[in-house]
Amino acid sequence: MLKPSDTNSQVEDAPVNVEGLQYVEAKSYVMLEICLNRPLIPKRPAEEVARRVAEYIPPRPLFPKRTNGAQKAVEDFHQQVGKVANQILDEFRELFGTELLNAGGSDLPNTDADLEARRQKMIYELNSSGKYFAFKEQLKHSVVKIVREKYLKTTTFTSKDDLQAFLSELYVYLVDQMHIGLGNVLTLEDKTPVPEPLTDSAQLKHFAREAEVNENFELATKYYQERIARNKTDSSCWFDYGTFCLYINDIAKAEECFKECVAINQKHVEGLMLYGVVCAMEEKNEAAETFFEAATCVDPKNVLAWTMLGLFYHGISNEISAEMAMMEADKLNISSARKAMKPVKGIVAKNIEPPPTPEHMTVDEAKESEVGEVNNIDTKSIPSINKIPATPSMPQEKGTSQTKAKPTDRKQSIAQGKKAGSMGSRTSSKENVSSARPGSRHVRSPGTPQVPENHEIEEPRESTPVPPQSVYMMASDWLLEAKAMAFTERALAHELLSTTGGPSPQYYISLARLCLQKKDFEKAEEALEAAVQADHQNPDAWGIMGHLRYLSGDLAAAKDCYERTISFLTNPSETHSIYLRLASIYLQDGMFQEAKRTFLLACKKSPSCVSWLGVGIACYRLSELSEAEDALSEANILNNSDPEVWAFLSMVCLKTARQLEAEQAYKYALKVGLTDEDLLAEILSLQEEVGFGNPQL
């Protein structure tokens, strides 16, 4: 057994690796990049992932299947009867069109003899031309479908009595259906055409987001459902409605929406990711992993898809897979930043003019260039020169021959100074001057590098670009828009752990947005104060600070924050809600002119019923009744079920002495549910003042 003293002596007597200490002192290291032929953890192929997704959510067919039911057979018979009736009318016009012209536009004689003569002539023409047989064949297929689908007769009859009974029943039914089909075709009443909607899907989405910000969830639900009703096969409509259901914490309905989105389009990357988020929230980890992997297989270069996969693996403590996914996300993020830098470098290089080459320089320009280089040279960059005494083996004739150089040779050497390098020209000139001294000679040290004449300077290695955002911040921004709060917290936590120089202002802004969605105003205020301290000219930070003050009831502070936000040169990421809330504060403070101007800014950028209603209210308070009516009419076109719009239209009509329109607008305001007691009392007082407008009095 060794004693402590023996062990110390052995350690002291151990040989020291001197060469290794050099690398340790220089802090050198070696990077080994290992490339494997096969992955240690095999990745599931894209085909298997797509098959698993199809097992969870079967793909929806693009077109509905054709059903040959009884109702469909009867509808086809009605259509064929209508087509045959139109063809018979055309034949009638060809036969008796000349008689109508000769009658001078009056009706043909309608006696029994005349009617029978025209019928006989019509039947004769149809039979002789073969059109009667063509019409019968045209109706034959639809009649066969009725027999098979409605009466379920597909075999022959056993007796003639059964056949005769069936034909009698079928004849009665077909005659009745023929009259229905003719009634649909020959109706004299014109159907009122259904007008096309004035708003498209993008406007409805904007209205829904606006109602969502104003916490009018019932109206937002109406807009989202209207988008789906207009186009049920649009996956983006289902996706947007699912994000809204996540925001109001209706997880079951959100799951159905994302499921429908993926069923319609199984390559909808965002729908796949959010369905995976919902599955992870319900602890269906196997299904969630399948959908996150499917998103990376659909778009392998999507940074967000790999980041979401990594966040999911972090949540289930699968650190190896999480590290793999995050490395892939970082690699793609850096690659996209490098691609964004290349066009900028090309533009900069195009604008820089190259210096003149030595072949195009004059002697005087070369001298000035040489003098400038000598004056600006760093003494550390001059190579060392050793003084060695002359020996008999080194005669001095070489040095004297250099001093006797011709002036033309010196001019040529100066003109070629750029090609040989500035350092070489300076050292050669020093040798020429010092070689005139007897008994001494300058010799270039053997370690001094010599620049060849045709040497090309290598370009410096391209630095690794820095992406504008980390992968975690990209994920948190998208998750905030998608209202997935659980994964947003996870992304922000990883962003806080990954940053070395402290959190960025964007991190605090995202944290404040998350706290606002969770109605945690205290933490949101702390995050916004940190964001403002880090960057006091960030418009997003001041805009969200205004939202926080507005929701807290501090309207004066909210107005200051909103005014500061719109005074910056750069606009915030979302300005519509800022304009609406600032203008509403102006209305409450009686600043109607400023309110009108701010509401008009909102209308110019993204018009909506709320923005035009604000313009109408401001104009009404300013006694600009004509402009108020125009603005309220625009609001009514965008949403004809807003009670405040009808209420202010009624008051405008009351002040312009239009009794009928005032009463109609007042009735519609009550019908769509006017609940504002102050506004209702104002209408009643104005009705008493003018003496009309209330049909109940």
Side-chain angles (χ1 to χ4, degrees):
M1 184 174 179
L2 295 176
K3 296 181 180 180
S5 59
D6 297 336
T7 57
N8 294 335
S9 62
Q10 287 183 1
V11 172
E12 292 176 358
D13 296 339
V16 179
N17 189 354
V18 181
E19 295 181 357
L21 289 177
Q22 296 178 358
Y23 295 101
V24 174
E25 293 175 355
K27 297 181 179 181
S28 302
Y29 59 91
V30 178
M31 293 182 64
L32 299 177
E33 186 173 350
I34 302 174
C35 183
L36 303 178
N37 292 330
R38 299 177 183 176
L40 296 177
I41 302 176
K43 180 183 177 182
R44 288 189 291 181
E47 293 80 7
E48 181 183 353
V49 175
R51 181 179 56 80
R52 293 286 300 275
V53 172
E55 290 177 359
Y56 283 110
I57 304 177
R60 186 67 49 82
L62 296 179
F63 300 99
K65 296 180 180 179
R66 298 186 62 181
T67 56
N68 295 324
Q71 185 65 27
K72 177 67 175 175
V74 174
E75 291 177 356
D76 290 343
F77 179 73
H78 291 167
Q79 292 178 0
Q80 295 300 326
V81 168
K83 292 179 180 179
V84 172
N86 287 325
Q87 292 174 1
I88 293 174
L89 283 176
D90 293 337
E91 293 294 329
F92 183 84
R93 293 188 184 98
E94 289 181 3
L95 288 175
F96 305 104
T98 56
E99 296 182 12
L100 287 172
L101 293 175
N102 295 331
S106 60
D107 295 335
L108 294 174
N110 293 328
T111 61
D112 294 339
D114 294 331
L115 291 176
E116 183 65 21
R118 285 195 295 269
R119 189 178 71 84
Q120 292 293 336
K121 185 178 179 181
M122 184 72 183
I123 293 175
Y124 174 77
E125 290 293 334
L126 292 177
N127 285 324
S128 61
S129 62
K131 294 182 180 179
Y132 178 81
F133 179 77
F135 293 156
K136 186 174 68 172
E137 290 294 323
Q138 187 173 348
L139 290 172
K140 180 179 178 180
H141 181 67
S142 59
V143 173
V144 171
K145 287 175 63 178
I146 289 178
V147 172
R148 291 179 177 177
E149 299 294 336
K150 185 171 181 61
Y151 291 95
L152 304 178
K153 298 294 183 180
T154 56
T155 59
T156 58
F157 291 91
T158 57
S159 63
K160 291 184 178 180
D161 295 336
D162 295 338
L163 176 60
Q164 192 64 35
F166 173 72
L167 291 177
S168 300
E169 182 183 358
L170 179 62
Y171 177 77
V172 173
Y173 179 77
L174 290 177
V175 170
D176 293 339
Q177 295 300 322
M178 180 190 68
H179 288 299
I180 294 174
L182 290 175
N184 294 333
V185 176
L186 302 177
T187 179
L188 298 178
E189 296 179 0
D190 295 333
K191 293 183 179 180
T192 304
V194 179
E196 295 183 359
L198 298 175
T199 55
D200 55 6
S201 180
Q203 285 180 308
L204 289 176
K205 181 180 178 180
H206 171 62
F207 298 160
R209 290 292 178 90
E210 182 183 69
E212 184 180 329
V213 170
N214 295 331
E215 297 185 352
N216 190 351
F217 299 138
E218 183 179 356
L219 183 60
T221 303
K222 173 188 172 184
Y223 283 128
Y224 281 122
Q225 292 178 352
E226 185 175 351
R227 289 185 70 209
I228 294 175
R230 291 188 183 181
N231 191 0
K232 293 183 179 180
T233 60
D234 190 354
S235 57
S236 62
C237 297
W238 289 100
F239 176 80
D240 294 332
Y241 187 35
T243 59
F244 170 72
C245 293
L246 274 182
Y247 180 59
I248 61 177
N249 202 24
D250 193 350
I251 306 299
K253 189 173 290 186
E255 182 180 2
E256 291 297 324
C257 292
F258 296 135
K259 188 174 182 179
E260 192 72 21
C261 172
V262 176
I264 295 172
N265 181 10
Q266 296 216 328
K267 293 186 178 181
H268 195 284
V269 179
E270 295 182 345
L272 289 169
M273 289 190 291
L274 277 190
Y275 192 79
V277 168
V278 173
C279 292
M281 293 171 64
E282 296 177 348
E283 297 183 356
K284 301 176 183 177
N285 293 332
E286 184 179 357
E289 182 180 5
T290 299
F291 285 98
F292 283 127
E293 284 191 10
T296 59
C297 293
V298 170
D299 190 1
K301 295 185 179 181
N302 192 322
V303 180
L304 186 60
W306 286 103
T307 307
M308 292 297 297
L309 181 61
L311 291 176
F312 167 72
Y313 281 136
H314 276 299
I316 61 175
S317 301
N318 190 348
E319 300 300 333
I320 296 177
S321 300
E323 183 180 359
M324 178 272 298
M326 298 314 302
M327 286 178 61
E328 185 68 22
D330 289 331
K331 185 189 302 182
L332 292 173
N333 195 19
I334 294 174
S335 176
S336 60
R338 181 178 289 110
K339 290 179 181 178
M341 287 176 60
K342 285 182 179 179
V344 177
K345 285 187 175 182
I347 295 172
V348 173
K350 186 177 180 181
N351 295 332
I352 297 177
E353 295 181 357
T357 56
E359 289 80 1
H360 300 286
M361 294 175 65
T362 61
V363 176
D364 296 335
E365 290 176 351
K367 288 182 179 180
E368 293 177 0
S369 176
E370 184 180 10
V371 172
E373 290 178 357
V374 171
N375 293 334
N376 296 328
I377 194 170
D378 189 4
T379 56
K380 295 180 180 180
S381 62
I382 301 177
S384 59
I385 299 174
N386 299 328
K387 295 181 179 180
I388 302 175
T391 59
S393 62
M394 293 183 180
Q396 298 180 6
E397 283 78 12
K398 187 176 182 179
T400 55
S401 63
Q402 292 180 359
T403 57
K404 296 179 181 179
K406 297 180 181 180
T408 56
D409 297 336
R410 178 166 179 78
K411 290 181 180 180
Q412 292 178 358
S413 63
I414 292 174
Q416 296 177 355
K418 283 290 182 179
K419 184 181 296 184
S422 60
M423 188 177 293
S425 64
R426 289 193 295 271
T427 54
S428 61
S429 62
K430 285 182 176 288
E431 289 177 1
N432 293 334
V433 173
S434 59
S435 61
R437 300 176 185 175
S440 65
R441 187 172 184 272
H442 286 192
V443 179
R444 190 187 306 272
S445 64
T448 304
Q450 296 183 7
V451 182
E453 293 184 356
N454 297 328
H455 177 69
E456 294 182 358
I457 301 175
E458 296 182 358
E459 295 183 357
R461 182 182 178 185
E462 184 178 356
S463 59
T464 303
V466 179
Q469 269 188 328
S470 66
V471 292
Y472 296 116
M473 288 307 304
M474 293 173 62
S476 64
D477 290 343
W478 179 77
L479 289 168
L480 283 171
E481 292 294 329
K483 312 298 188 301
M485 302 181 191
F487 270 70
T488 306
E489 292 179 347
R490 195 177 300 177
L492 291 176
H494 283 85
E495 170 67 17
L496 186 61
L497 294 175
S498 63
T499 54
T500 56
S504 62
Q506 190 61 34
Y507 165 80
Y508 289 116
I509 292 173
S510 299
L511 180 60
R513 291 176 60 191
L514 176 63
C515 294
L516 280 181
Q517 289 184 5
K518 297 170 63 177
K519 306 299 180 184
D520 191 351
F521 294 155
E522 293 182 1
K523 291 184 178 179
E525 185 175 1
E526 294 176 0
L528 287 173
E529 288 178 355
V532 170
Q533 288 180 0
D535 185 6
H536 66 280
Q537 290 186 350
N538 193 317
D540 288 330
W542 286 105
I544 299 174
M545 180 74 78
H547 294 328
L548 174 64
R549 302 302 183 193
Y550 184 87
L551 295 175
S552 303
D554 191 356
L555 299 183
K559 183 175 72 171
D560 294 338
C561 293
Y562 288 145
E563 290 176 346
R564 183 190 289 265
T565 302
I566 63 177
S567 65
F568 289 122
L569 295 177
T570 57
N571 292 327
S573 57
E574 202 277 326
T575 58
H576 187 72
S577 59
I578 294 175
Y579 286 141
L580 292 183
R581 288 180 172 176
L582 178 59
S584 65
I585 295 173
Y586 285 149
L587 278 181
Q588 295 180 24
D589 294 344
M591 305 169 65
F592 302 124
Q593 195 65 40
E594 288 79 2
K596 175 184 174 182
R597 179 179 56 82
T598 309
F599 274 124
L600 284 174
L601 288 175
C603 293
K604 182 179 179 180
K605 187 173 181 62
S606 49
S608 65
C609 175
V610 177
S611 59
W612 281 116
L613 173 61
V615 176
I617 295 173
C619 292
Y620 176 79
R621 300 302 181 192
L622 292 170
S623 299
E624 299 174 356
L625 299 181
S626 177
E627 296 182 5
E629 185 175 0
D630 293 340
L632 293 171
S633 299
E634 290 289 336
N636 198 15
I637 290 172
L638 296 176
N639 183 11
N640 58 2
S641 61
D642 194 311
E644 291 189 17
V645 175
W646 288 110
F648 277 96
L649 278 173
S650 177
M651 289 194 292
V652 169
C653 295
L654 288 174
K655 287 199 171 184
T656 54
R658 290 180 290 175
Q659 180 177 356
L660 180 60
E661 297 177 7
E663 292 179 357
Q664 290 178 346
Y666 177 69
K667 286 190 295 184
Y668 274 111
L670 297 179
K671 183 178 180 180
V672 295
L674 180 61
T675 57
D676 192 346
E677 297 294 337
D678 296 335
L679 184 57
L680 189 59
E682 184 179 359
I683 295 175
L684 293 176
S685 63
L686 186 59
Q687 289 173 352
E688 293 178 359
E689 180 182 346
V690 298
F692 60 86
N694 191 351
Q696 298 177 354
L697 298 179

